[in-house]
Amino acid sequence: MSVAGRAGRGRGAAAVAFLSPAMLVIGLFTVVPIGLTFWISLHDWSMYTALGDMAWRGLDNYAGLLADPSFYNALANTAIYVALVVVVTVPLSIALGMLLYFPRVAGKGLVRAALFSTYVIPTVAISIVWGGLYAPEYGPLSQLFAAWHPTWLSAPDTALVSLVIFHLWQMTGYYTVLVIAGLTQIPGDLYEAARIDGAGLWRQTLHVTLPLLRRTTIFIGLVAIINAIQVFDPVYILTQGGPAESTTVLSFAIQRAAFQHGLAGQASAMAFSLLLLLVALGGAFLAVVRRRSA
């Protein structure tokens, strides 16, 4: 064997040695639970009984989901929630990121820290606070918009939108920091060249900033989709899926089926379906973005 071949084999062995601990952790805490979830989804099993009591059902749990109107309601609520979050969050975070990066204004660091702080505070604590803000009789938001008689969490027409507003308040600061990080990677010489060519602020934004910020935008979009699909804490604390099932999203439906009704097989089928949905949406999003970029 040549020296180059031995060196390549040595590098490969070293790479395997370094990656093995991480791959072991990923396999133990990600791959194994996914496989176990799929296996349980093929059985009829109550979480309050022993594993040996599982009864084989094959794909009956998945067929039951397709015939269950409540599953389609949860799927529709999840789709609406994700669409509203992504459509509003991505442009808003880009706009805020540019406002906090380009103008030479004192105190920008403090504003960035304040925006990011909404992300690091535990969601449970924030949800409890927002429950008080949304309170119909004494809540500050209800008092502030009293002229419009807002119903917030108490009406099916506004409950889901109220959760979207909560999500925007919590997550926009995090996405804004990501945008600022992406803006720092754009060379300042490009803006100088654009100014020399007579490009104003609007043309610089369209032809320099946004194109070079494309990868950051794609990343933010993917993260926003994943976070929105997995929403659970605010639903559990603020609405419990109501009123009239208007805020029952897939993640809450899974928890309710598994831990409230003990239907582990059906809940696992929904969880695995949610995983497939995440993979499909992520792949479709990347495919569309790459096609437009090409």
Side-chain angles (χ1 to χ4, degrees):
M1 181 181 295
S2 65
V3 176
R6 288 196 298 269
R9 178 171 294 183
R11 286 193 296 268
V16 171
F18 281 113
L19 290 175
S20 294
M23 296 303 296
L24 179 62
V25 172
I26 292 174
L28 184 61
F29 294 102
T30 302
V31 178
V32 172
I34 290 175
L36 183 60
T37 299
F38 178 69
W39 175 251
I40 295 175
S41 72
L42 303 177
H43 294 78
D44 184 14
W45 176 55
S46 171
M47 295 187 64
Y48 306 112
T49 60
L51 283 172
D53 296 333
M54 286 195 302
W56 176 263
R57 295 197 61 182
L59 298 177
D60 288 350
N61 286 329
Y62 293 93
L65 291 181
L66 297 178
D68 186 3
S70 63
F71 173 73
Y72 289 104
N73 176 68
L75 186 63
N77 290 336
T78 303
I80 295 172
Y81 184 88
V82 171
L84 290 175
V85 165
V86 174
V87 168
V88 178
T89 301
V90 176
L92 181 61
S93 60
I94 293 175
L96 288 175
M98 294 176 64
L99 287 175
L100 291 174
Y101 179 75
F102 288 110
R104 298 183 179 277
V105 180
K108 290 193 297 184
L110 183 61
V111 176
R112 295 176 189 175
L115 282 173
F116 189 74
S117 65
T118 62
Y119 172 73
V120 299
I121 299 174
T123 304
V124 173
I126 300 176
S127 299
I128 294 173
V129 172
W130 274 77
L133 294 177
Y134 278 139
E137 296 182 359
Y138 61 84
L141 291 178
S142 298
Q143 298 296 324
L144 183 62
F145 298 98
W148 290 275
H149 303 286
T151 49
W152 299 120
L153 301 173
S154 59
D157 296 337
T158 57
L160 192 63
V161 176
S162 301
L163 293 179
V164 171
I165 295 174
F166 167 83
H167 184 94
L168 295 178
W169 180 88
Q170 182 186 26
M171 298 300 300
T172 300
Y174 170 66
Y175 300 137
T176 300
V177 172
L178 294 180
V179 171
I180 294 173
L183 291 172
T184 60
Q185 305 301 314
I186 301 177
D189 296 342
L190 296 177
Y191 293 105
E192 184 65 27
R195 284 192 292 268
I196 293 174
D197 290 338
L201 179 61
W202 180 247
R203 293 181 60 188
Q204 291 178 35
T205 302
L206 289 179
H207 300 290
V208 178
T209 304
L210 294 181
L212 296 179
L213 204 60
R214 182 179 293 114
R215 291 185 178 180
T216 301
T217 304
I218 295 172
F219 177 75
I220 291 174
L222 281 174
V223 173
I225 290 173
I226 294 172
N227 286 337
I229 289 179
Q230 295 178 328
V231 63
F232 174 76
D233 292 349
V235 178
Y236 184 80
I237 294 173
L238 294 177
T239 66
Q240 286 287 308
E245 302 294 314
S246 61
T247 60
T248 299
V249 293
L250 284 175
S251 58
F252 181 77
I254 293 169
Q255 186 273 344
R256 184 167 58 184
F259 295 99
Q260 296 184 23
H261 304 309
L263 303 175
Q266 293 87 328
S268 297
M270 281 192 287
F272 196 77
S273 300
L274 178 60
L275 173 64
L276 296 178
L277 177 63
L278 280 170
V279 173
L281 285 177
F285 185 80
L286 287 176
V288 170
V289 170
R290 288 177 179 176
R291 186 177 305 170
R292 291 185 176 181
S293 299

